[in-house]
Amino acid sequence: MKEQTKAIIRLLQQRSSFNLVSHIRPDGDSIGSLLGLGESLFRAGKRVRLFTEDRVPRKYAFLKGSEKISSSAERWLDDAVAIVLDCTDLERTGEFRVPAARSRDIINIDHHRTNSYFGTANLVDASAAATGEIIFRLLEAAALPLTTSIAEALYVALATDTGSFKYENTTAETHRTAAALLESHRLNPGLLSEQIFDLRPLPFYLLLKKVLGTLEFHGGKKVATITASRDMLEQSGALIEDLDGMINYTRNIEGVEIGVMFFIDSPTETKVGFRSRKADVSVLAEILGGGGHARAAGCRLKGPFEQTRERVIEEALLAIAKLEPSGND
Ligand SMILES: [Mn+2]
């Protein structure tokens, strides 16, 4: 076992109170990791508080203890160890960067390649498909409790960060971890998948209908765009979290190379998401002042929407032109 892991296990065993925090706009991995590690420490007799700046998305509300996740920094425990989950840097925690940075001990558990090792103890493994996968191994190594609800939370972390075990980050180890979790408490993967991937409230579908109604193609159907707005959310009764993943419809169209989703946040600001098949959209996003991964990136642009739209489509077409310098496939 690595020295850093041993040091973290010692902290978990010796200290009595912990503030666990994950990133803004929490996803399944952040919620599952918070709940999994949080309940395990609680069962081991520790004082534990769980935090994220934004509310828990509805689809994860069924997980036991999700109502205990707070966005109020007033609940932060003094003299506790801070455990930061699924964050490349402290900025990702939003307002919690302030109390977290003040903590004497900061445990950083993450799986992003770009992690800045901001902790006083760091457990970063870029080969792990999810932070939940690292936590499962940590619980085993530290002989910490694994109940049914902990196993469910960690399974959800794994299933969501791998897009239901479909993305490139899925490894044999991911499947072994999933199998160990399923076996530990006879979890029902069908029911869990239905909750996190399939069942959606009606407003989600009303919103989807509106957003897909804006589908457009450019550059010989190599670029597909969809557009959402605050008005559409309001008209359909949907929440901003209902937009998560909607961009994938663009990339999943046969022949489309770059998928773009616009979210008109205000008359003067638009959020832009990119997905791609071959193109490195992190470069495209960087040109526009944003960033991200090669196949999933984004940026935020000021100015009227029409202007933003034209600029983004122009840059996306240039990125495609660069992919095909010789005109051959
Ligand atoms: Mn993650």
Side-chain angles (χ1 to χ4, degrees), residues 1-65:
M1 204 186 297
K2 282 196 192 135
E3 273 316 308
Q4 285 279 293
T5 311
K6 281 188 200 158
I8 288 170
I9 292 173
R10 268 198 304 277
L11 274 174
L12 298 180
Q13 287 166 343
Q14 289 167 3
R15 300 289 295 274
S16 59
S17 38
F18 299 87
N19 292 305
L20 274 60
V21 60
S22 191
H23 54 81
I24 53 168
R25 298 279 311 275
D27 56 16
D29 190 23
S30 33
I31 300 298
S33 296
L34 275 174
L35 293 175
L37 182 57
E39 188 190 328
S40 191
L41 288 171
F42 176 75
R43 300 244 166 215
K46 311 289 182 177
R47 207 160 165 230
V48 181
R49 294 275 165 86
L50 310 177
F51 302 96
T52 59
E53 182 166 305
D54 299 303
R55 46 165 287 168
V56 175
R58 281 173 300 193
K59 58 185 162 190
Y60 305 122
F62 76 99
L63 287 170
K64 195 184 152 212

Side-chain angles (χ1 to χ4, degrees), residues 184-324:
S184 68
H185 289 279
R186 295 174 181 272
L187 304 187
N188 184 332
L191 274 181
L192 290 170
S193 295
E194 191 176 57
Q195 276 292 342
I196 55 183
F197 296 115
D198 302 336
L199 273 184
R200 291 287 174 272
L202 179 59
F204 165 84
Y205 285 98
L206 298 177
L207 177 66
L208 179 63
K209 187 173 151 186
K210 284 184 195 293
V211 172
L212 287 183
T214 68
L215 180 65
E216 276 180 9
F217 297 95
H218 306 271
K221 296 199 166 55
K222 292 256 191 294
V223 175
T225 70
I226 51 176
T227 305
S229 65
R230 291 254 167 217
D231 289 345
M232 288 182 192
L233 291 180
E234 216 165 283
Q235 288 157 13
S236 44
L239 301 173
I240 199 148
E241 68 192 48
D242 290 319
L243 292 170
D244 287 350
M246 231 175 243
I247 188 174
N248 293 324
Y249 284 100
T250 56
R251 179 189 38 193
N252 290 344
I253 300 167
E254 263 183 62
V256 166
E257 175 50 43
I258 296 180
V260 182
M261 178 159 172
F262 296 107
F263 174 63
I264 308 170
D265 205 351
S266 80
T268 57
E269 191 166 16
T270 304
K271 227 186 130 215
V272 190
F274 298 104
R275 293 290 183 275
S276 70
R277 197 151 270 127
K278 286 190 293 241
D280 185 345
V281 283
S282 72
V283 175
L284 172 55
E286 261 170 52
I287 291 169
L288 296 161
H293 305 284
R295 308 282 174 262
C299 63
R300 224 169 223 291
L301 290 168
K302 298 244 187 240
F305 172 61
E306 270 313 311
Q307 202 180 303
T308 295
R309 181 178 167 274
E310 268 174 42
R311 174 136 189 254
V312 167
I313 291 167
E314 198 180 308
E315 289 293 346
L317 292 176
L318 281 174
I320 284 180
K322 276 185 222 151
L323 273 182
E324 305 163 334

Side-chain angles (χ1 to χ4, degrees), residues 34-159:
L34 275 174
L35 293 175
L37 182 57
E39 188 190 328
S40 191
L41 288 171
F42 176 75
R43 300 244 166 215
K46 311 289 182 177
R47 207 160 165 230
V48 181
R49 294 275 165 86
L50 310 177
F51 302 96
T52 59
E53 182 166 305
D54 299 303
R55 46 165 287 168
V56 175
R58 281 173 300 193
K59 58 185 162 190
Y60 305 122
F62 76 99
L63 287 170
K64 195 184 152 212
S66 66
E67 73 287 349
K68 295 197 180 99
I69 299 176
S70 167
S71 53
S72 162
E74 283 163 28
R75 290 182 47 80
W76 191 266
L77 296 168
D78 291 330
D79 303 319
V81 176
I83 306 182
V84 184
L85 301 168
D86 203 37
C87 293
T88 46
D89 49 53
L90 274 184
E91 292 300 305
R92 285 284 288 151
T93 64
E95 59 166 317
F96 291 103
R97 68 185 176 275
V98 180
R102 272 205 309 261
S103 307
R104 186 158 56 92
D105 298 291
I106 306 170
I107 300 177
N108 162 24
I109 304 177
D110 186 35
H111 68 126
H112 293 95
R113 201 159 277 111
T114 50
N115 189 285
S116 68
Y117 286 78
F118 56 85
T120 55
N122 303 283
L123 182 51
V124 178
D125 179 359
S127 74
T131 297
E133 191 175 324
I134 303 173
I135 290 180
F136 174 71
R137 291 200 294 264
L138 181 63
L139 297 190
E140 278 199 317
L144 278 162
L146 182 78
T147 62
T148 305
S149 42
I150 295 168
E152 275 188 354
L154 297 180
Y155 183 85
V156 165
L158 233 62

